[in-house]
Amino acid sequence: MSGIYARRLSVVAATAALAATSALFTAPSAQAAMPTPVSAATARTYLGQLPVGAEGSSTGYSRDKFPHWITQSGACNTREVVLKRDGTNVQQDSSCAAVSGRWYSPYDGATWSAASDVDIDHMIPLAEAWRSGASSWTNAQRQSFANDLTRPQLIAVTDNVNQAKGDKDPAEWMPPSSSYTCTYVRAWVHVKKHYNLSVDSAEKSALQSALNGC
């Protein structure tokens, strides 16, 4: 009897462990997001350290000089990694394409259920980076910048809002949702500081003004 009882306990324990393991994979989790940018205080310090000068020329610029989206692992490229990271309950097919899920766009407060309605925004637009110093980088450096998952440089947002942003800096464009202003400018300065990109005077003034309200 003791052997049967022990086996029953073993089965019960194994079943409980399996249930707990399943919960880890099936329980809904809080939406992930881009890496957290530096604090407003740190961003203000960084902003004071950035080189300031007239914006450079777009001559020679091409998105092809910032190779993206590169393969990150298996069949998944950078766009698909960010879609998975920034979405909720995202399901991917064997090619790593998102076939279902929900995406909340903090730029405008909209939620989408089709990946085709979502763009991956470069916080510092590629053309803006080019005019701010990236024109002198190697293609390998520009590739790292365009696929940077470590800094707050990539974020899933509503496609037409991203298109409205284009290559504008914060003196020319800010997210429609004012509740995201502080996060946006903190991220902008964080990335520019990491890559030692310059700011023009209007851009710096807009960033200072926004950060003073954070």
Side-chain angles (χ1 to χ4, degrees):
M1 278 298 282
S2 60
I4 294 172
Y5 183 68
R7 284 197 298 276
R8 281 180 182 164
L9 282 179
S10 176
V11 169
V12 169
T15 302
L18 181 61
T21 302
S22 296
L24 289 175
F25 291 100
T26 59
S29 57
Q31 177 176 312
M34 71 175 185
T36 303
V38 295
S39 68
T42 299
R44 284 191 284 269
T45 298
Y46 281 1
L47 182 57
Q49 298 169 345
L50 290 176
V52 181
E55 196 162 75
S57 169
S58 294
T59 302
Y61 168 72
S62 166
R63 288 179 68 85
D64 293 341
K65 293 183 178 179
F66 293 80
H68 66 289
W69 305 110
I70 62 170
T71 300
Q72 292 291 341
S73 64
C76 301
N77 68 26
T78 308
R79 171 181 163 82
E80 290 143 358
V81 168
V82 177
L83 283 173
K84 178 74 170 178
R85 182 197 72 187
D86 289 4
T88 303
N89 298 324
V90 178
Q91 301 297 316
Q92 297 170 306
D93 64 18
S94 60
S95 299
C96 204
V99 293
S100 64
R102 290 175 67 80
W103 291 269
Y104 172 76
S105 167
Y107 282 8
D108 58 335
T111 299
W112 304 96
S113 57
S116 58
D117 289 322
V118 177
D119 277 357
I120 306 305
D121 180 41
H122 288 95
M123 177 62 61
I124 306 299
L126 305 182
E128 163 69 19
W130 178 271
R131 297 189 298 265
S132 304
S135 59
S136 66
W137 297 352
T138 65
N139 265 22
Q141 289 173 313
R142 288 191 287 263
Q143 175 175 292
S144 294
F145 172 83
N147 296 276
D148 189 351
L149 294 166
T150 304
R151 262 67 52 179
Q153 165 65 349
L154 300 172
I155 183 171
V157 297
T158 302
D159 56 0
N160 63 346
V161 174
N162 183 49
Q163 289 151 24
K165 172 183 174 178
D167 62 355
K168 302 178 182 73
D169 69 33
E172 304 160 316
W173 187 92
M174 290 286 280
S177 178
S178 59
S179 64
Y180 201 67
T181 296
C182 282
T183 302
Y184 187 81
V185 293
R186 284 161 46 212
W188 185 279
V189 173
H190 183 157
V191 176
K192 280 223 162 177
K193 171 63 176 174
H194 179 79
Y195 288 98
N196 196 36
L197 294 169
S198 65
V199 290
D200 62 49
S201 57
E203 175 188 356
K204 183 173 183 177
S205 294
L207 289 165
Q208 283 176 326
S209 177
L211 286 169
N212 286 340
C214 295

